Amino acid sequence: QVQLVESGGGLVQPGGSLRLSCAASGIIFGLNNMGWYRQAPGKEREYVASITTISTTNYADSVKGRFTISRDNAKNTVYLQMNSLKPEDTAVYYCNALRLNSYWGQGTQVTVSS
């Protein structure tokens, strides 16, 4: 059974930082491209960042230079370091694993507010 479990969300002030984690089980983690997506209230889910099996990274323009995605294959975990957070980053953040199939986590809430 595939499980992706996100953690690390919370309430943070504008300009602050958070680090999200996504622990995977039930997949061969090192063979999966991993990604982060987010969904704000009333909006479609949108792409945030991704990292390939050889650690090539890509980012949405809205987060480039502020967010960093990384992976630790020994821990079956992907991370999203989020700096200089803005109120418009408020959303539920979802982890995704992609190889032959696509799997999603349950999401973690990030709220950026003063």
Side-chain angles (χ1 to χ4, degrees):
Q1 181 182 356
V2 178
Q3 278 195 312
L4 300 177
V5 181
E6 300 99 334
S7 61
L11 173 64
V12 64
Q13 292 188 341
S17 298
L18 282 175
R19 188 196 197 202
L20 305 184
S21 299
C22 171
S25 59
I27 59 172
I28 304 174
F29 184 79
L31 297 183
N32 278 261
N33 295 321
M34 301 298 296
W36 287 97
Y37 292 73
R38 66 187 182 187
Q39 187 167 18
K43 294 189 176 182
E44 302 262 330
R45 188 174 297 189
E46 65 175 6
Y47 168 83
V48 175
S50 59
I51 184 165
T52 69
T53 56
I54 57 170
S55 294
T56 301
T57 59
N58 193 47
Y59 299 92
D61 287 343
S62 58
V63 307
K64 205 169 289 185
R66 299 188 298 123
F67 290 10
T68 302
I69 188 171
S70 61
R71 65 190 298 160
D72 185 337
N73 289 345
K75 295 183 178 180
N76 287 0
T77 301
V78 62
Y79 305 97
L80 186 68
Q81 177 67 43
M82 306 186 295
N83 299 329
S84 302
L85 282 161
K86 305 175 182 180
E88 51 263 43
D89 294 318
T90 295
V92 178
Y93 283 71
Y94 296 92
C95 175
N96 175 260
L98 179 64
R99 189 190 174 196
L100 299 178
N101 296 304
S102 180
Y103 300 101
W104 295 91
Q106 83 290 346
T108 186
Q109 176 70 47
V110 172
T111 302
V112 184
S113 175
S114 55

